[in-house]
Amino acid sequence: MTSAALRPHALPPRTLTRLTPADCTATRWLTAQAKASAGNRFLAFIENGLHPDAFTDDLYRTCSQHLFAHIAHFDRHGFADVWFTTPDDKVAFIRHAMNARSSGDPAWTWSDVEQHLQHTLADHPHLQEPSAWTGAARPHDCPSCHCTPSHTTDPHAPA
């Protein structure tokens, strides 16, 4: 079993409502499809447990440049160290996203994506509790799997 299979898994895949291009307004620099795709990668990252090793350069750029007034924290690793190290850090990240002011014309900002993400997260208030980020492991490492994670008190225990 790979280390990815043992990582805590917050939600079954595709639980959070995905964006479509119709939900987004194109900017001068990005298409509506590109904004929707980036927002959906953000949602998948949340569903998969906000793991620092899964925080890609693409997710880092999306967060530090476009979402919820985040700052760069020097680099991707610094950002991940601040927001994704402990269950309490992950709760703080979700709460920050939920409480961030989303404003501006979506033709110039990502306010449309931010508002969708906030509404989607509001439908899952348990993500604001540390217990949501501990004690769940994927039964196997299958990116297209729609299985429900098994719950365990030891994230390194075999599934």
Side-chain angles (χ1 to χ4, degrees):
M1 186 174 298
T2 67
S3 63
L6 295 173
R7 292 187 307 213
H9 188 263
L11 294 167
R14 312 279 308 170
T15 299
L16 300 175
T17 305
R18 295 303 197 255
L19 287 143
T20 67
D23 297 320
C24 301
T25 301
T27 69
R28 182 172 162 189
W29 306 275
L30 284 172
T31 65
Q33 177 62 52
K35 286 171 78 173
S37 294
N40 290 337
R41 286 189 299 275
F42 180 84
L43 291 169
F45 177 64
I46 292 170
E47 289 170 342
N48 288 324
L50 297 173
H51 297 286
D53 60 337
F55 190 59
T56 63
D57 286 337
D58 179 61
L59 283 167
Y60 170 67
R61 276 189 300 280
T62 298
C63 288
S64 65
Q65 294 176 2
H66 302 294
L67 296 178
F68 309 119
H70 280 292
I71 61 170
H73 296 286
F74 186 66
D75 63 12
R76 176 174 60 98
H77 301 288
F79 192 104
D81 286 346
V82 169
W83 293 110
F84 311 129
T85 303
T86 69
D88 288 333
D89 295 341
K90 295 173 184 186
V91 166
F93 180 78
I94 296 296
R95 288 182 180 159
H96 176 82
M98 295 286 302
N99 295 317
R101 184 169 174 245
S102 177
S103 61
D105 182 343
W108 294 94
T109 70
W110 282 48
S111 60
D112 48 353
V113 175
E114 290 174 325
Q115 289 168 12
H116 176 91
L117 296 174
Q118 288 174 325
H119 290 134
T120 298
L121 292 172
D123 290 339
H124 299 276
H126 68 283
L127 295 177
Q128 296 184 56
E129 300 299 327
S131 61
W133 304 105
T134 58
R138 290 187 207 197
H140 55 279
D141 191 25
C142 176
S144 62
C145 181
H146 295 287
C147 62
T148 302
S150 60
H151 290 276
T152 177
T153 55
D154 179 4
H156 301 292

PDB file of all heavy atoms in Angstrom, residues 14-32:
ATOM      1  N   ARG A  14     -15.861  13.461  -4.967  1.00  0.00           N
ATOM      2  CA  ARG A  14     -16.977  14.144  -5.624  1.00  0.00           C
ATOM      3  C   ARG A  14     -18.127  14.465  -4.665  1.00  0.00           C
ATOM      4  O   ARG A  14     -19.258  14.651  -5.093  1.00  0.00           O
ATOM      5  CB  ARG A  14     -17.496  13.351  -6.818  1.00  0.00           C
ATOM      6  CG  ARG A  14     -16.450  12.841  -7.775  1.00  0.00           C
ATOM      7  CD  ARG A  14     -15.926  13.794  -8.776  1.00  0.00           C
ATOM      8  NE  ARG A  14     -16.926  14.485  -9.560  1.00  0.00           N
ATOM      9  CZ  ARG A  14     -16.623  15.498 -10.340  1.00  0.00           C
ATOM     10  NH1 ARG A  14     -15.391  15.908 -10.438  1.00  0.00           N
ATOM     11  NH2 ARG A  14     -17.544  16.105 -11.041  1.00  0.00           N
ATOM     12  N   THR A  15     -17.854  14.578  -3.379  1.00  0.00           N
ATOM     13  CA  THR A  15     -18.874  14.972  -2.403  1.00  0.00           C
ATOM     14  C   THR A  15     -19.188  16.452  -2.516  1.00  0.00           C
ATOM     15  O   THR A  15     -20.349  16.861  -2.432  1.00  0.00           O
ATOM     16  CB  THR A  15     -18.406  14.643  -0.973  1.00  0.00           C
ATOM     17  OG1 THR A  15     -18.201  13.238  -0.873  1.00  0.00           O
ATOM     18  CG2 THR A  15     -19.426  15.084   0.066  1.00  0.00           C
ATOM     19  N   LEU A  16     -18.159  17.274  -2.668  1.00  0.00           N
ATOM     20  CA  LEU A  16     -18.342  18.714  -2.744  1.00  0.00           C
ATOM     21  C   LEU A  16     -18.813  19.099  -4.145  1.00  0.00           C
ATOM     22  O   LEU A  16     -18.300  18.598  -5.142  1.00  0.00           O
ATOM     23  CB  LEU A  16     -17.036  19.433  -2.399  1.00  0.00           C
ATOM     24  CG  LEU A  16     -16.497  19.145  -0.992  1.00  0.00           C
ATOM     25  CD1 LEU A  16     -15.142  19.793  -0.797  1.00  0.00           C
ATOM     26  CD2 LEU A  16     -17.473  19.604   0.078  1.00  0.00           C
ATOM     27  N   THR A  17     -19.788  19.989  -4.210  1.00  0.00           N
ATOM     28  CA  THR A  17     -20.397  20.395  -5.481  1.00  0.00           C
ATOM     29  C   THR A  17     -19.375  21.073  -6.376  1.00  0.00           C
ATOM     30  O   THR A  17     -18.762  22.070  -5.999  1.00  0.00           O
ATOM     31  CB  THR A  17     -21.578  21.360  -5.217  1.00  0.00           C
ATOM     32  OG1 THR A  17     -22.485  20.724  -4.323  1.00  0.00           O
ATOM     33  CG2 THR A  17     -22.279  21.716  -6.516  1.00  0.00           C
ATOM     34  N   ARG A  18     -19.207  20.514  -7.571  1.00  0.00           N
ATOM     35  CA  ARG A  18     -18.212  21.019  -8.513  1.00  0.00           C
ATOM     36  C   ARG A  18     -18.704  22.251  -9.263  1.00  0.00           C
ATOM     37  O   ARG A  18     -19.901  22.461  -9.447  1.00  0.00           O
ATOM     38  CB  ARG A  18     -17.835  19.939  -9.529  1.00  0.00           C
ATOM     39  CG  ARG A  18     -17.128  18.731  -8.931  1.00  0.00           C
ATOM     40  CD  ARG A  18     -15.870  19.167  -8.203  1.00  0.00           C
ATOM     41  NE  ARG A  18     -14.946  18.086  -7.952  1.00  0.00           N
ATOM     42  CZ  ARG A  18     -14.761  17.530  -6.769  1.00  0.00           C
ATOM     43  NH1 ARG A  18     -15.461  17.925  -5.733  1.00  0.00           N
ATOM     44  NH2 ARG A  18     -13.880  16.566  -6.617  1.00  0.00           N
ATOM     45  N   LEU A  19     -17.746  23.048  -9.694  1.00  0.00           N
ATOM     46  CA  LEU A  19     -18.013  24.211 -10.541  1.00  0.00           C
ATOM     47  C   LEU A  19     -18.136  23.765 -11.994  1.00  0.00           C
ATOM     48  O   LEU A  19     -17.496  22.801 -12.413  1.00  0.00           O
ATOM     49  CB  LEU A  19     -16.843  25.191 -10.465  1.00  0.00           C
ATOM     50  CG  LEU A  19     -16.701  25.987  -9.179  1.00  0.00           C
ATOM     51  CD1 LEU A  19     -15.245  26.171  -8.823  1.00  0.00           C
ATOM     52  CD2 LEU A  19     -17.366  27.326  -9.360  1.00  0.00           C
ATOM     53  N   THR A  20     -18.920  24.489 -12.738  1.00  0.00           N
ATOM     54  CA  THR A  20     -18.967  24.322 -14.186  1.00  0.00           C
ATOM     55  C   THR A  20     -18.541  25.655 -14.799  1.00  0.00           C
ATOM     56  O   THR A  20     -18.575  26.687 -14.114  1.00  0.00           O
ATOM     57  CB  THR A  20     -20.383  23.968 -14.682  1.00  0.00           C
ATOM     58  OG1 THR A  20     -21.237  25.098 -14.463  1.00  0.00           O
ATOM     59  CG2 THR A  20     -20.947  22.737 -13.969  1.00  0.00           C
ATOM     60  N   PRO A  21     -18.161  25.667 -16.057  1.00  0.00           N
ATOM     61  CA  PRO A  21     -17.820  26.952 -16.672  1.00  0.00           C
ATOM     62  C   PRO A  21     -18.967  27.967 -16.586  1.00  0.00           C
ATOM     63  O   PRO A  21     -18.717  29.172 -16.489  1.00  0.00           O
ATOM     64  CB  PRO A  21     -17.504  26.574 -18.116  1.00  0.00           C
ATOM     65  CG  PRO A  21     -17.024  25.164 -18.026  1.00  0.00           C
ATOM     66  CD  PRO A  21     -17.863  24.541 -16.936  1.00  0.00           C
ATOM     67  N   ALA A  22     -20.204  27.483 -16.567  1.00  0.00           N
ATOM     68  CA  ALA A  22     -21.351  28.390 -16.455  1.00  0.00           C
ATOM     69  C   ALA A  22     -21.394  29.107 -15.101  1.00  0.00           C
ATOM     70  O   ALA A  22     -22.007  30.163 -14.980  1.00  0.00           O
ATOM     71  CB  ALA A  22     -22.651  27.619 -16.676  1.00  0.00           C
ATOM     72  N   ASP A  23     -20.720  28.545 -14.086  1.00  0.00           N
ATOM     73  CA  ASP A  23     -20.660  29.168 -12.758  1.00  0.00           C
ATOM     74  C   ASP A  23     -19.616  30.281 -12.689  1.00  0.00           C
ATOM     75  O   ASP A  23     -19.560  31.007 -11.708  1.00  0.00           O
ATOM     76  CB  ASP A  23     -20.296  28.128 -11.691  1.00  0.00           C
ATOM     77  CG  ASP A  23     -21.324  27.037 -11.553  1.00  0.00           C
ATOM     78  OD1 ASP A  23     -22.527  27.340 -11.615  1.00  0.00           O
ATOM     79  OD2 ASP A  23     -20.913  25.864 -11.384  1.00  0.00           O
ATOM     80  N   CYS A  24     -18.771  30.361 -13.711  1.00  0.00           N
ATOM     81  CA  CYS A  24     -17.623  31.261 -13.678  1.00  0.00           C
ATOM     82  C   CYS A  24     -17.693  32.293 -14.797  1.00  0.00           C
ATOM     83  O   CYS A  24     -18.262  32.039 -15.850  1.00  0.00           O
ATOM     84  CB  CYS A  24     -16.330  30.457 -13.824  1.00  0.00           C
ATOM     85  SG  CYS A  24     -16.110  29.231 -12.525  1.00  0.00           S
ATOM     86  N   THR A  25     -17.075  33.419 -14.535  1.00  0.00           N
ATOM     87  CA  THR A  25     -16.947  34.479 -15.531  1.00  0.00           C
ATOM     88  C   THR A  25     -15.498  34.501 -16.001  1.00  0.00           C
ATOM     89  O   THR A  25     -14.578  34.536 -15.171  1.00  0.00           O
ATOM     90  CB  THR A  25     -17.317  35.835 -14.920  1.00  0.00           C
ATOM     91  OG1 THR A  25     -18.657  35.764 -14.432  1.00  0.00           O
ATOM     92  CG2 THR A  25     -17.197  36.959 -15.937  1.00  0.00           C
ATOM     93  N   ALA A  26     -15.298  34.498 -17.293  1.00  0.00           N
ATOM     94  CA  ALA A  26     -13.944  34.585 -17.830  1.00  0.00           C
ATOM     95  C   ALA A  26     -13.342  35.934 -17.471  1.00  0.00           C
ATOM     96  O   ALA A  26     -14.049  36.936 -17.353  1.00  0.00           O
ATOM     97  CB  ALA A  26     -13.960  34.404 -19.342  1.00  0.00           C
ATOM     98  N   THR A  27     -12.038  35.936 -17.269  1.00  0.00           N
ATOM     99  CA  THR A  27     -11.311  37.188 -17.076  1.00  0.00           C
ATOM    100  C   THR A  27     -10.507  37.460 -18.341  1.00  0.00           C
ATOM    101  O   THR A  27     -10.497  36.644 -19.265  1.00  0.00           O
ATOM    102  CB  THR A  27     -10.347  37.104 -15.871  1.00  0.00           C
ATOM    103  OG1 THR A  27      -9.281  36.202 -16.195  1.00  0.00           O
ATOM    104  CG2 THR A  27     -11.062  36.656 -14.610  1.00  0.00           C
ATOM    105  N   ARG A  28      -9.815  38.552 -18.333  1.00  0.00           N
ATOM    106  CA  ARG A  28      -8.951  38.875 -19.469  1.00  0.00           C
ATOM    107  C   ARG A  28      -7.824  37.843 -19.609  1.00  0.00           C
ATOM    108  O   ARG A  28      -7.278  37.649 -20.674  1.00  0.00           O
ATOM    109  CB  ARG A  28      -8.393  40.268 -19.229  1.00  0.00           C
ATOM    110  CG  ARG A  28      -7.525  40.802 -20.290  1.00  0.00           C
ATOM    111  CD  ARG A  28      -7.223  42.247 -19.976  1.00  0.00           C
ATOM    112  NE  ARG A  28      -6.078  42.704 -20.717  1.00  0.00           N
ATOM    113  CZ  ARG A  28      -5.487  43.857 -20.520  1.00  0.00           C
ATOM    114  NH1 ARG A  28      -5.951  44.668 -19.581  1.00  0.00           N
ATOM    115  NH2 ARG A  28      -4.464  44.208 -21.232  1.00  0.00           N
ATOM    116  N   TRP A  29      -7.488  37.173 -18.490  1.00  0.00           N
ATOM    117  CA  TRP A  29      -6.342  36.280 -18.451  1.00  0.00           C
ATOM    118  C   TRP A  29      -6.717  34.802 -18.432  1.00  0.00           C
ATOM    119  O   TRP A  29      -5.892  33.967 -18.773  1.00  0.00           O
ATOM    120  CB  TRP A  29      -5.490  36.590 -17.220  1.00  0.00           C
ATOM    121  CG  TRP A  29      -5.109  38.029 -17.180  1.00  0.00           C
ATOM    122  CD1 TRP A  29      -4.045  38.609 -17.805  1.00  0.00           C
ATOM    123  CD2 TRP A  29      -5.813  39.083 -16.530  1.00  0.00           C
ATOM    124  NE1 TRP A  29      -4.035  39.959 -17.581  1.00  0.00           N
ATOM    125  CE2 TRP A  29      -5.123  40.285 -16.787  1.00  0.00           C
ATOM    126  CE3 TRP A  29      -6.974  39.142 -15.756  1.00  0.00           C
ATOM    127  CZ2 TRP A  29      -5.532  41.518 -16.299  1.00  0.00           C
ATOM    128  CZ3 TRP A  29      -7.379  40.367 -15.270  1.00  0.00           C
ATOM    129  CH2 TRP A  29      -6.666  41.529 -15.543  1.00  0.00           C
ATOM    130  N   LEU A  30      -7.935  34.470 -18.018  1.00  0.00           N
ATOM    131  CA  LEU A  30      -8.339  33.063 -17.892  1.00  0.00           C
ATOM    132  C   LEU A  30      -9.759  32.860 -18.398  1.00  0.00           C
ATOM    133  O   LEU A  30     -10.631  33.705 -18.194  1.00  0.00           O
ATOM    134  CB  LEU A  30      -8.291  32.620 -16.422  1.00  0.00           C
ATOM    135  CG  LEU A  30      -6.922  32.358 -15.832  1.00  0.00           C
ATOM    136  CD1 LEU A  30      -7.026  32.127 -14.335  1.00  0.00           C
ATOM    137  CD2 LEU A  30      -6.277  31.144 -16.487  1.00  0.00           C
ATOM    138  N   THR A  31      -9.975  31.698 -18.974  1.00  0.00           N
ATOM    139  CA  THR A  31     -11.318  31.336 -19.419  1.00  0.00           C
ATOM    140  C   THR A  31     -12.155  30.893 -18.221  1.00  0.00           C
ATOM    141  O   THR A  31     -11.622  30.554 -17.155  1.00  0.00           O
ATOM    142  CB  THR A  31     -11.268  30.169 -20.430  1.00  0.00           C
ATOM    143  OG1 THR A  31     -10.774  29.004 -19.756  1.00  0.00           O
ATOM    144  CG2 THR A  31     -10.392  30.506 -21.635  1.00  0.00           C
ATOM    145  N   ALA A  32     -13.452  30.857 -18.411  1.00  0.00           N
ATOM    146  CA  ALA A  32     -14.350  30.345 -17.373  1.00  0.00           C
ATOM    147  C   ALA A  32     -14.016  28.887 -17.081  1.00  0.00           C
ATOM    148  O   ALA A  32     -14.062  28.450 -15.926  1.00  0.00           O
ATOM    149  CB  ALA A  32     -15.801  30.506 -17.806  1.00  0.00           C
TER     150      ALA A  32
END
